[in-house]
Amino acid sequence: MAAAAARLSAPSMACIGAGAALPCSSRLAVTRSSLRLSSSHRLTVFRSLVIVHSPLRSAQQRSLQMRTLDRCAIRASSAATSAATAASDAAQLRSAREDIKELLRSTFCHPILVRLGWHDAGTYDKNIEEWPQRGGANGSLRFEIELKHAANAGLVNALKLIQPIKDKYSGITYADLFQLASATAIEDAGGPKIPMKYGRVDVSGPEQCPPEGKLPDAGPSSPGAHLRDVFYRMGLDDKEIVALSGAHTLGRSRPERSGWGKPETKYTKDGPGAPGGQSWTVQWLKFDNSYFKEIKERKDEDLLVLPTDAVLFDDPSFKFYAEKYAEDQETFFKDYAESHAKLSNLGAKFDPPEGIDIDDDSKSAPAPEPFIAAKYSSGEKKRELSDAMKQKIRAEYEGLGGSPDKPLKSNYFLNIMILIAVLAILTSLLGN
Protein backbone atom coordinates (compact mmCIF):
# COMPACT_ATOMS: atom_id res chain seq x y z
CA MET A 1 0.00 0.00 0.00
CA ALA A 2 2.80 2.41 0.90
CA ALA A 3 4.60 1.50 -2.30
CA ALA A 4 1.49 2.22 -4.32
CA ALA A 5 1.04 5.51 -2.49
CA ALA A 6 4.62 6.54 -3.17
CA ARG A 7 3.99 6.39 -6.90
CA LEU A 8 1.38 9.13 -6.59
CA SER A 9 2.52 12.72 -6.36
CA ALA A 10 1.63 14.57 -3.17
CA PRO A 11 -0.78 17.49 -3.46
CA SER A 12 0.50 20.94 -2.71
CA MET A 13 -0.85 21.78 0.73
CA ALA A 14 -0.13 25.44 0.26
CA CYS A 15 -2.61 25.79 -2.58
CA ILE A 16 -5.37 23.36 -1.65
CA GLY A 17 -8.48 25.38 -1.02
CA ALA A 18 -6.90 28.65 -2.17
CA GLY A 19 -8.86 30.84 -4.57
CA ALA A 20 -7.62 31.63 -8.06
CA ALA A 21 -6.68 35.18 -9.10
CA LEU A 22 -9.36 37.20 -10.87
CA PRO A 23 -8.77 37.55 -14.65
CA CYS A 24 -8.89 41.09 -15.98
CA SER A 25 -8.11 40.79 -19.67
CA SER A 26 -11.62 41.69 -20.79
CA ARG A 27 -14.85 43.15 -19.55
CA LEU A 28 -16.53 39.78 -19.99
CA ALA A 29 -13.91 38.09 -17.82
CA VAL A 30 -14.28 40.80 -15.20
CA THR A 31 -18.03 40.39 -15.21
CA ARG A 32 -17.78 36.61 -14.76
CA SER A 33 -15.20 36.97 -12.03
CA SER A 34 -17.26 39.52 -10.18
CA LEU A 35 -20.01 36.94 -9.83
CA ARG A 36 -17.65 34.81 -7.76
CA LEU A 37 -17.30 37.57 -5.17
CA SER A 38 -19.50 37.93 -2.14
CA SER A 39 -22.88 39.50 -2.80
CA SER A 40 -21.87 42.68 -0.97
CA HIS A 41 -19.08 43.36 -3.51
CA ARG A 42 -20.56 42.09 -6.80
CA LEU A 43 -22.49 45.24 -7.66
CA THR A 44 -19.66 47.64 -6.80
CA VAL A 45 -17.04 45.70 -8.77
CA PHE A 46 -19.36 45.30 -11.74
CA ARG A 47 -20.14 49.01 -11.92
CA SER A 48 -16.69 50.41 -11.28
CA LEU A 49 -14.70 48.13 -13.58
CA VAL A 50 -17.05 48.39 -16.55
CA ILE A 51 -17.55 52.16 -16.28
CA VAL A 52 -13.79 52.68 -16.48
CA HIS A 53 -13.84 51.37 -20.04
CA SER A 54 -16.93 53.36 -21.07
CA PRO A 55 -16.46 55.88 -23.91
CA LEU A 56 -19.37 57.98 -22.67
CA ARG A 57 -18.54 61.44 -21.42
CA SER A 58 -21.62 63.31 -20.17
CA ALA A 59 -22.79 62.96 -16.59
CA GLN A 60 -26.29 62.17 -17.84
CA GLN A 61 -25.00 59.39 -20.07
CA ARG A 62 -22.82 57.99 -17.29
CA SER A 63 -25.77 58.07 -14.89
CA LEU A 64 -27.96 56.26 -17.43
CA GLN A 65 -25.29 53.65 -18.02
CA MET A 66 -24.80 53.10 -14.27
CA ARG A 67 -28.52 52.55 -13.76
CA THR A 68 -28.56 50.08 -16.67
CA LEU A 69 -25.54 48.25 -15.32
CA ASP A 70 -27.11 48.17 -11.86
CA ARG A 71 -30.12 46.34 -13.27
CA CYS A 72 -27.91 43.96 -15.27
CA ALA A 73 -25.70 43.25 -12.28
CA ILE A 74 -28.69 42.56 -10.04
CA ARG A 75 -30.11 40.16 -12.63
CA ALA A 76 -26.72 38.47 -13.06
CA SER A 77 -26.26 38.18 -9.31
CA SER A 78 -29.73 36.73 -8.94
CA ALA A 79 -29.07 34.24 -11.73
CA ALA A 80 -25.78 33.21 -10.15
CA THR A 81 -27.51 32.69 -6.82
CA SER A 82 -30.33 30.64 -8.30
CA ALA A 83 -27.84 28.53 -10.26
CA ALA A 84 -25.82 27.76 -7.15
CA THR A 85 -25.46 24.03 -6.63
CA ALA A 86 -25.11 21.85 -3.55
CA ALA A 87 -21.75 21.37 -1.85
CA SER A 88 -21.20 18.17 -3.87
CA ASP A 89 -22.66 16.83 -7.08
CA ALA A 90 -24.61 13.57 -6.69
CA ALA A 91 -23.64 12.18 -10.11
CA GLN A 92 -19.96 12.86 -9.47
CA LEU A 93 -20.22 11.20 -6.05
CA ARG A 94 -21.59 8.05 -7.67
CA SER A 95 -18.81 8.01 -10.26
CA ALA A 96 -16.18 8.68 -7.61
CA ARG A 97 -17.48 5.73 -5.60
CA GLU A 98 -16.74 3.43 -8.54
CA ASP A 99 -13.24 4.90 -8.86
CA ILE A 100 -12.68 4.32 -5.14
CA LYS A 101 -13.67 0.68 -5.57
CA GLU A 102 -11.08 0.29 -8.32
CA LEU A 103 -8.48 1.93 -6.11
CA LEU A 104 -9.31 -0.43 -3.24
CA ARG A 105 -8.98 -3.52 -5.40
CA SER A 106 -5.65 -2.45 -6.87
CA THR A 107 -3.93 -1.13 -3.72
CA PHE A 108 -5.72 -2.92 -0.81
CA CYS A 109 -5.92 0.41 1.01
CA HIS A 110 -9.22 -0.29 2.81
CA PRO A 111 -7.86 0.26 6.36
CA ILE A 112 -6.18 3.60 5.74
CA LEU A 113 -9.22 5.02 3.91
CA VAL A 114 -11.45 4.04 6.83
CA ARG A 115 -9.01 5.78 9.14
CA LEU A 116 -8.96 8.88 6.93
CA GLY A 117 -12.72 9.37 7.22
CA TRP A 118 -12.72 8.64 10.94
CA HIS A 119 -9.94 11.07 11.77
CA ASP A 120 -11.52 13.90 9.80
CA ALA A 121 -14.81 13.43 11.68
CA GLY A 122 -13.39 12.45 15.09
CA THR A 123 -12.31 15.95 16.11
CA TYR A 124 -15.94 16.95 16.79
CA ASP A 125 -16.81 18.61 20.10
CA LYS A 126 -20.54 18.58 20.91
CA ASN A 127 -20.03 21.42 23.42
CA ILE A 128 -19.13 23.89 20.66
CA GLU A 129 -21.97 25.06 18.42
CA GLU A 130 -20.11 27.20 15.89
CA TRP A 131 -18.92 25.75 12.59
CA PRO A 132 -16.09 24.99 11.92
CA GLN A 133 -14.78 25.58 15.45
CA ARG A 134 -16.70 22.50 16.59
CA GLY A 135 -14.52 20.27 14.38
CA GLY A 136 -15.89 17.19 12.71
CA ALA A 137 -16.27 16.05 9.09
CA ASN A 138 -15.30 19.23 7.28
CA GLY A 139 -12.28 18.30 5.14
CA SER A 140 -9.74 20.00 7.41
CA LEU A 141 -7.53 16.90 7.40
CA ARG A 142 -6.31 17.81 3.90
CA PHE A 143 -4.12 20.55 5.37
CA GLU A 144 -0.54 19.86 6.36
CA ILE A 145 -0.88 21.35 9.85
CA GLU A 146 -3.48 18.72 10.79
CA LEU A 147 -1.83 15.87 8.90
CA LYS A 148 1.21 16.40 11.14
CA HIS A 149 -0.77 15.66 14.32
CA ALA A 150 0.71 12.57 15.97
CA ALA A 151 -2.58 10.64 15.76
CA ASN A 152 -2.64 11.21 11.98
CA ALA A 153 0.77 9.68 11.27
CA GLY A 154 0.75 8.02 7.85
CA LEU A 155 -2.52 9.55 6.66
CA VAL A 156 -0.66 11.68 4.14
CA ASN A 157 -0.43 8.43 2.16
CA ALA A 158 -4.22 8.13 2.13
CA LEU A 159 -4.51 11.69 0.86
CA LYS A 160 -2.04 10.93 -1.91
CA LEU A 161 -4.07 7.90 -2.92
CA ILE A 162 -7.38 9.72 -3.32
CA GLN A 163 -6.10 13.10 -4.53
CA PRO A 164 -6.30 12.01 -8.21
CA ILE A 165 -9.99 11.20 -7.65
CA LYS A 166 -10.53 14.65 -6.13
CA ASP A 167 -8.75 16.21 -9.11
CA LYS A 168 -11.00 14.27 -11.47
CA TYR A 169 -14.22 15.31 -9.75
CA SER A 170 -14.14 19.02 -8.96
CA GLY A 171 -17.79 18.93 -7.89
CA ILE A 172 -17.03 16.94 -4.72
CA THR A 173 -15.81 18.41 -1.44
CA TYR A 174 -12.91 16.88 0.47
CA ALA A 175 -15.23 16.34 3.44
CA ASP A 176 -17.56 14.21 1.31
CA LEU A 177 -14.73 12.39 -0.44
CA PHE A 178 -13.12 11.34 2.86
CA GLN A 179 -16.40 9.93 4.16
CA LEU A 180 -17.32 8.34 0.83
CA ALA A 181 -13.94 6.57 0.75
CA SER A 182 -14.32 5.37 4.33
CA ALA A 183 -17.83 3.94 3.89
CA THR A 184 -16.99 2.39 0.52
CA ALA A 185 -13.94 0.67 2.02
CA ILE A 186 -16.09 -0.93 4.75
CA GLU A 187 -18.65 -2.18 2.26
CA ASP A 188 -16.04 -3.41 -0.24
CA ALA A 189 -14.32 -5.42 2.51
CA GLY A 190 -17.53 -7.35 3.17
CA GLY A 191 -18.99 -5.07 5.82
CA PRO A 192 -22.52 -3.70 6.10
CA LYS A 193 -24.08 -1.07 3.89
CA ILE A 194 -23.59 2.30 5.61
CA PRO A 195 -26.65 4.62 5.42
CA MET A 196 -24.66 7.64 4.25
CA LYS A 197 -25.69 11.12 3.17
CA TYR A 198 -23.52 13.72 1.46
CA GLY A 199 -23.31 17.46 0.86
CA ARG A 200 -20.68 18.33 3.50
CA VAL A 201 -19.11 21.76 3.24
CA ASP A 202 -15.30 22.13 3.35
CA VAL A 203 -13.39 24.49 5.60
CA SER A 204 -11.50 27.05 3.56
CA GLY A 205 -8.05 27.17 5.12
CA PRO A 206 -5.57 25.66 7.60
CA GLU A 207 -6.43 28.29 10.21
CA GLN A 208 -9.75 26.43 10.63
CA CYS A 209 -8.11 23.12 11.55
CA PRO A 210 -8.85 21.78 15.07
CA PRO A 211 -6.12 21.73 17.74
CA GLU A 212 -4.15 18.55 18.33
CA GLY A 213 -5.24 16.05 20.98
CA LYS A 214 -8.83 15.43 19.87
CA LEU A 215 -8.36 11.79 18.81
CA PRO A 216 -8.03 8.63 20.97
CA ASP A 217 -4.66 7.40 22.24
CA ALA A 218 -3.87 3.68 21.86
CA GLY A 219 -2.22 3.24 25.27
CA PRO A 220 -3.58 5.64 27.90
CA SER A 221 -3.10 4.92 31.59
CA SER A 222 -6.85 4.47 32.05
CA PRO A 223 -8.16 3.07 28.73
CA GLY A 224 -11.86 2.94 29.63
CA ALA A 225 -11.97 6.48 31.01
CA HIS A 226 -9.95 7.76 28.07
CA LEU A 227 -12.27 6.20 25.48
CA ARG A 228 -15.28 7.69 27.22
CA ASP A 229 -13.66 11.13 27.51
CA VAL A 230 -12.98 11.20 23.77
CA PHE A 231 -16.15 9.60 22.43
CA TYR A 232 -18.55 11.18 24.92
CA ARG A 233 -17.18 14.55 23.80
CA MET A 234 -18.36 13.57 20.30
CA GLY A 235 -21.82 12.62 21.60
CA LEU A 236 -21.31 8.85 21.24
CA ASP A 237 -22.23 6.25 23.88
CA ASP A 238 -20.76 2.95 25.13
CA LYS A 239 -22.51 0.83 22.50
CA GLU A 240 -21.19 3.05 19.73
CA ILE A 241 -17.67 3.00 21.20
CA VAL A 242 -17.60 -0.80 21.14
CA ALA A 243 -19.24 -1.08 17.72
CA LEU A 244 -16.78 1.37 16.16
CA SER A 245 -13.86 -0.42 17.82
CA GLY A 246 -14.88 -3.43 15.72
CA ALA A 247 -13.44 -1.72 12.65
CA HIS A 248 -10.04 -2.88 13.93
CA THR A 249 -10.94 -6.11 12.21
CA LEU A 250 -9.36 -4.29 9.25
CA GLY A 251 -5.76 -3.18 9.04
CA ARG A 252 -2.44 -3.30 10.85
CA SER A 253 -0.54 -1.20 13.35
CA ARG A 254 2.97 -0.18 12.31
CA PRO A 255 5.44 0.60 15.10
CA GLU A 256 7.19 3.27 13.02
CA ARG A 257 3.94 5.24 12.91
CA SER A 258 2.11 4.53 16.15
CA GLY A 259 4.76 2.98 18.38
CA TRP A 260 2.60 -0.13 18.72
CA GLY A 261 2.78 -3.57 17.16
CA LYS A 262 5.45 -5.83 15.68
CA PRO A 263 7.41 -4.92 12.54
CA GLU A 264 5.81 -7.95 10.87
CA THR A 265 4.01 -11.22 11.62
CA LYS A 266 3.22 -14.40 9.75
CA TYR A 267 -0.04 -12.75 8.71
CA THR A 268 1.51 -9.54 7.33
CA LYS A 269 5.00 -10.39 6.05
CA ASP A 270 3.73 -11.10 2.53
CA GLY A 271 1.17 -8.31 2.22
CA PRO A 272 -1.09 -7.84 0.30
CA GLY A 273 0.07 -4.32 -0.31
CA ALA A 274 3.24 -3.25 1.48
CA PRO A 275 4.30 -6.01 3.89
CA GLY A 276 4.75 -5.53 7.63
CA GLY A 277 2.95 -4.37 10.73
CA GLN A 278 0.81 -6.33 13.18
CA SER A 279 -2.87 -6.98 12.56
CA TRP A 280 -5.72 -7.48 15.03
CA THR A 281 -7.16 -10.35 12.97
CA VAL A 282 -5.89 -13.12 10.72
CA GLN A 283 -7.80 -11.90 7.65
CA TRP A 284 -7.13 -8.22 8.13
CA LEU A 285 -8.75 -7.12 4.87
CA LYS A 286 -12.07 -8.84 5.64
CA PHE A 287 -14.70 -6.97 7.62
CA ASP A 288 -16.47 -9.31 10.05
CA ASN A 289 -16.77 -9.84 13.82
CA SER A 290 -13.48 -11.75 14.21
CA TYR A 291 -11.92 -8.80 16.06
CA PHE A 292 -14.18 -9.44 19.06
CA LYS A 293 -13.52 -13.16 18.98
CA GLU A 294 -9.75 -12.70 18.87
CA ILE A 295 -9.70 -10.04 21.60
CA LYS A 296 -11.87 -12.21 23.82
CA GLU A 297 -9.62 -15.29 23.47
CA ARG A 298 -6.19 -13.55 23.24
CA LYS A 299 -4.53 -16.82 22.25
CA ASP A 300 -2.51 -15.77 19.18
CA GLU A 301 0.68 -13.81 19.96
CA ASP A 302 0.88 -12.67 16.37
CA LEU A 303 -2.36 -10.72 16.74
CA LEU A 304 -2.38 -7.25 18.28
CA VAL A 305 -4.24 -6.35 21.48
CA LEU A 306 -3.94 -2.71 22.52
CA PRO A 307 -4.94 -1.50 26.01
CA THR A 308 -7.99 0.15 24.41
CA ASP A 309 -8.88 -3.23 22.85
CA ALA A 310 -8.48 -5.27 26.03
CA VAL A 311 -10.68 -2.91 28.03
CA LEU A 312 -13.68 -3.86 25.88
CA PHE A 313 -13.85 -7.17 27.75
CA ASP A 314 -12.63 -5.81 31.09
CA ASP A 315 -15.08 -2.94 31.53
CA PRO A 316 -18.57 -4.27 32.46
CA SER A 317 -20.50 -1.83 30.26
CA PHE A 318 -18.24 -2.35 27.25
CA LYS A 319 -18.18 -6.11 27.80
CA PHE A 320 -21.96 -6.40 27.44
CA TYR A 321 -21.73 -5.25 23.82
CA ALA A 322 -18.39 -6.91 23.03
CA GLU A 323 -19.74 -10.30 24.09
CA LYS A 324 -22.84 -9.78 21.99
CA TYR A 325 -20.84 -8.83 18.90
CA ALA A 326 -18.48 -11.79 19.32
CA GLU A 327 -21.50 -14.11 19.20
CA ASP A 328 -23.75 -12.32 16.71
CA GLN A 329 -22.23 -10.81 13.59
CA GLU A 330 -25.60 -9.64 12.27
CA THR A 331 -26.17 -7.50 15.37
CA PHE A 332 -22.62 -6.15 15.11
CA PHE A 333 -23.13 -5.19 11.47
CA LYS A 334 -26.39 -3.40 12.26
CA ASP A 335 -24.94 -1.43 15.17
CA TYR A 336 -21.72 -0.71 13.33
CA ALA A 337 -23.50 0.70 10.25
CA GLU A 338 -25.57 3.05 12.42
CA SER A 339 -22.53 4.15 14.45
CA HIS A 340 -20.35 4.72 11.38
CA ALA A 341 -23.05 6.84 9.73
CA LYS A 342 -23.44 8.90 12.90
CA LEU A 343 -19.68 9.41 13.17
CA SER A 344 -19.42 10.50 9.54
CA ASN A 345 -21.96 13.30 10.13
CA LEU A 346 -20.40 14.73 13.29
CA GLY A 347 -19.84 18.47 13.08
CA ALA A 348 -20.62 18.58 9.36
CA LYS A 349 -22.46 21.47 7.73
CA PHE A 350 -24.62 20.15 4.89
CA ASP A 351 -25.62 21.90 1.68
CA PRO A 352 -28.49 21.23 1.13
CA PRO A 353 -29.31 20.99 4.84
CA GLU A 354 -31.07 17.64 4.45
CA GLY A 355 -28.05 16.15 2.67
CA ILE A 356 -27.75 14.17 -0.57
CA ASP A 357 -28.57 10.47 -0.94
CA ILE A 358 -26.63 8.87 -3.80
CA ASP A 359 -27.99 5.33 -3.52
CA ASP A 360 -30.10 4.47 -6.55
CA ASP A 361 -32.23 2.02 -4.59
CA SER A 362 -33.05 4.64 -1.97
CA LYS A 363 -35.69 6.31 -4.10
CA SER A 364 -39.08 5.77 -2.59
CA ALA A 365 -41.52 3.63 -4.57
CA PRO A 366 -44.38 5.51 -6.20
CA ALA A 367 -47.47 5.72 -4.05
CA PRO A 368 -50.17 3.17 -4.94
CA GLU A 369 -53.10 4.48 -6.95
CA PRO A 370 -55.76 5.77 -4.56
CA PHE A 371 -59.09 3.97 -4.56
CA ILE A 372 -61.76 5.98 -6.34
CA ALA A 373 -65.26 4.68 -5.70
CA ALA A 374 -66.58 6.24 -8.91
CA LYS A 375 -64.61 3.69 -10.93
CA TYR A 376 -66.62 0.85 -9.45
CA SER A 377 -70.12 2.37 -9.10
CA SER A 378 -72.75 3.68 -11.50
CA GLY A 379 -75.18 6.56 -11.46
CA GLU A 380 -74.64 10.29 -11.57
CA LYS A 381 -74.64 10.85 -7.82
CA LYS A 382 -71.46 9.57 -6.14
CA ARG A 383 -71.06 9.83 -2.42
CA GLU A 384 -67.90 9.74 -0.31
CA LEU A 385 -67.16 6.31 1.18
CA SER A 386 -65.36 5.49 4.42
CA ASP A 387 -61.96 3.82 4.22
CA ALA A 388 -63.47 0.59 5.51
CA MET A 389 -66.15 0.64 2.81
CA LYS A 390 -63.58 1.40 0.12
CA GLN A 391 -61.53 -1.60 1.20
CA LYS A 392 -64.64 -3.81 1.19
CA ILE A 393 -65.66 -2.67 -2.30
CA ARG A 394 -62.12 -3.14 -3.59
CA ALA A 395 -61.92 -6.65 -2.12
CA GLU A 396 -65.27 -7.65 -3.60
CA TYR A 397 -64.43 -6.15 -6.99
CA GLU A 398 -61.00 -7.78 -7.18
CA GLY A 399 -62.54 -11.06 -5.98
CA LEU A 400 -64.58 -11.10 -9.19
CA GLY A 401 -61.44 -10.56 -11.28
CA GLY A 402 -61.59 -6.81 -11.62
CA SER A 403 -58.92 -4.18 -10.88
CA PRO A 404 -58.56 -0.39 -11.22
CA ASP A 405 -56.84 -0.86 -14.59
CA LYS A 406 -58.93 -3.82 -15.79
CA PRO A 407 -62.72 -3.41 -15.77
CA LEU A 408 -64.91 -6.49 -15.54
CA LYS A 409 -65.77 -8.07 -18.85
CA SER A 410 -69.44 -7.79 -19.81
CA ASN A 411 -71.47 -11.00 -20.33
CA TYR A 412 -73.61 -9.89 -23.26
CA PHE A 413 -75.73 -13.06 -23.39
CA LEU A 414 -76.59 -12.77 -19.70
CA ASN A 415 -77.40 -9.08 -20.12
CA ILE A 416 -79.82 -9.88 -23.00
CA MET A 417 -81.57 -12.61 -20.99
CA ILE A 418 -81.99 -10.24 -18.05
CA LEU A 419 -83.37 -7.53 -20.36
CA ILE A 420 -85.92 -9.98 -21.89
CA ALA A 421 -87.00 -11.10 -18.43
CA VAL A 422 -87.49 -7.51 -17.29
CA LEU A 423 -89.52 -6.69 -20.41
CA ALA A 424 -91.68 -9.77 -19.92
CA ILE A 425 -92.44 -8.79 -16.35
CA LEU A 426 -93.27 -5.23 -17.38
CA THR A 427 -95.58 -6.46 -20.18
CA SER A 428 -97.38 -8.75 -17.79
CA LEU A 429 -97.87 -5.97 -15.27
CA LEU A 430 -99.13 -3.54 -17.90
CA GLY A 431 -101.52 -6.15 -19.32
CA ASN A 432 -103.05 -6.79 -15.93
Side-chain angles (χ1 to χ4, degrees):
M1 179 173 63
R7 292 195 294 269
L8 299 170
S9 59
S12 172
M13 295 299 169
C15 62
I16 292 177
L22 291 174
C24 56
S25 57
S26 68
R27 273 177 277 177
L28 179 59
V30 170
T31 302
R32 287 174 176 169
S33 298
S34 68
L35 295 179
R36 300 192 191 103
L37 300 176
S38 64
S39 57
S40 61
H41 293 93
R42 287 176 186 159
L43 185 58
T44 303
V45 172
F46 190 95
R47 288 173 54 182
S48 61
L49 291 178
V50 179
I51 291 296
V52 165
H53 299 279
S54 174
L56 299 178
R57 289 291 180 267
S58 71
Q60 183 179 3
Q61 288 175 314
R62 286 197 300 272
S63 176
L64 175 62
Q65 185 188 38
M66 289 177 67
R67 289 196 299 273
T68 302
L69 289 174
D70 284 350
R71 291 193 295 270
C72 292
I74 290 170
R75 287 197 297 269
S77 177
S78 175
T81 301
S82 63
T85 58
S88 289
D89 179 78
Q92 291 194 26
L93 283 164
R94 294 189 190 98
S95 297
R97 179 167 57 186
E98 297 307 310
D99 288 2
I100 290 169
K101 291 178 181 178
E102 290 299 319
L103 175 67
L104 291 166
R105 290 160 191 172
S106 62
T107 62
F108 310 103
C109 60
H110 302 69
I112 200 170
L113 292 190
V114 174
R115 185 169 166 241
L116 179 68
W118 278 34
H119 282 219
D120 192 49
T123 60
Y124 174 65
D125 188 337
K126 69 177 183 180
N127 301 308
I128 302 175
E129 294 184 2
E130 296 79 13
W131 184 93
Q133 292 88 340
R134 64 193 181 210
N138 57 29
S140 63
L141 191 50
R142 72 190 190 271
F143 293 109
E144 186 176 13
I145 187 173
E146 188 171 344
L147 281 170
K148 286 185 174 180
H149 292 177
N152 294 328
L155 283 179
V156 65
N157 295 321
L159 187 62
K160 291 176 182 178
L161 284 167
I162 66 169
Q163 185 62 42
I165 298 177
K166 179 67 178 74
D167 294 339
K168 181 178 178 180
Y169 300 105
S170 60
I172 301 178
T173 63
Y174 278 96
D176 270 350
L177 183 60
F178 293 166
Q179 302 308 321
L180 176 66
S182 182
T184 304
I186 292 291
E187 296 166 13
D188 192 73
K193 177 73 175 177
I194 313 296
M196 298 290 289
K197 68 174 183 176
Y198 298 94
R200 296 168 186 79
V201 177
D202 277 343
V203 297
S204 58
E207 70 280 358
Q208 295 176 316
C209 290
E212 190 166 4
K214 295 279 190 177
L215 297 168
D217 185 5
S221 57
S222 180
H226 175 71
L227 286 176
R228 288 189 173 94
D229 286 344
V230 172
F231 285 95
Y232 284 10
R233 186 205 71 225
M234 301 181 203
L236 302 174
D237 59 24
D238 285 0
K239 181 178 78 170
E240 290 159 337
I241 292 172
V242 180
L244 291 172
S245 296
H248 275 160
T249 193
L250 296 179
R252 303 161 284 176
S253 177
R254 296 182 179 276
E256 68 272 19
R257 295 179 184 173
S258 66
W260 294 89
K262 298 179 180 180
E264 72 173 26
T265 70
K266 61 186 177 185
Y267 303 121
T268 66
K269 64 179 182 179
D270 297 323
Q278 186 176 13
S279 60
W280 285 265
T281 62
V282 175
Q283 294 181 289
W284 47 269
L285 284 176
K286 179 182 179 182
F287 193 94
D288 56 20
N289 67 337
S290 60
Y291 164 80
F292 296 104
K293 296 178 179 179
E294 299 293 352
I295 297 300
K296 181 179 180 179
E297 296 176 358
R298 305 185 204 181
K299 293 180 179 179
D300 194 333
E301 293 184 355
D302 271 340
L303 296 180
L304 181 63
V305 180
L306 297 171
T308 46
D309 300 318
V311 75
L312 299 183
F313 285 92
D314 295 336
D315 180 277
S317 179
F318 290 156
K319 184 178 180 179
F320 172 80
Y321 299 106
E323 292 276 7
K324 181 188 296 185
Y325 298 153
E327 296 297 326
D328 187 348
Q329 179 170 285
E330 184 177 349
T331 298
F332 166 54
F333 273 25
K334 175 182 177 296
D335 291 350
Y336 178 84
E338 293 172 356
S339 301
H340 185 125
K342 182 175 180 179
L343 174 67
S344 74
N345 294 341
L346 294 180
K349 179 169 72 173
F350 285 91
D351 179 18
E354 68 275 12
I356 303 168
D357 191 338
I358 66 171
D359 291 320
D360 296 334
D361 57 357
S362 66
K363 297 177 181 178
S364 58
E369 181 182 348
F371 178 82
I372 302 175
K375 287 188 176 183
Y376 314 111
S377 60
S378 60
E380 296 180 0
K381 186 177 180 180
K382 310 294 190 304
R383 61 175 181 172
E384 284 293 322
L385 301 175
S386 67
D387 290 340
M389 183 59 70
K390 290 177 182 177
Q391 292 175 5
K392 182 178 180 181
I393 293 175
R394 177 187 286 275
E396 292 176 351
Y397 186 77
E398 292 177 346
L400 295 172
S403 70
D405 300 321
K406 182 182 177 182
L408 286 172
K409 296 180 179 179
S410 298
N411 191 323
Y412 296 106
F413 178 76
L414 179 61
N415 291 341
I416 291 173
M417 293 298 294
I418 293 173
L419 179 61
I420 292 173
V422 170
L423 289 174
I425 292 172
L426 290 174
T427 301
S428 176
L429 290 174
L430 290 174
N432 291 335

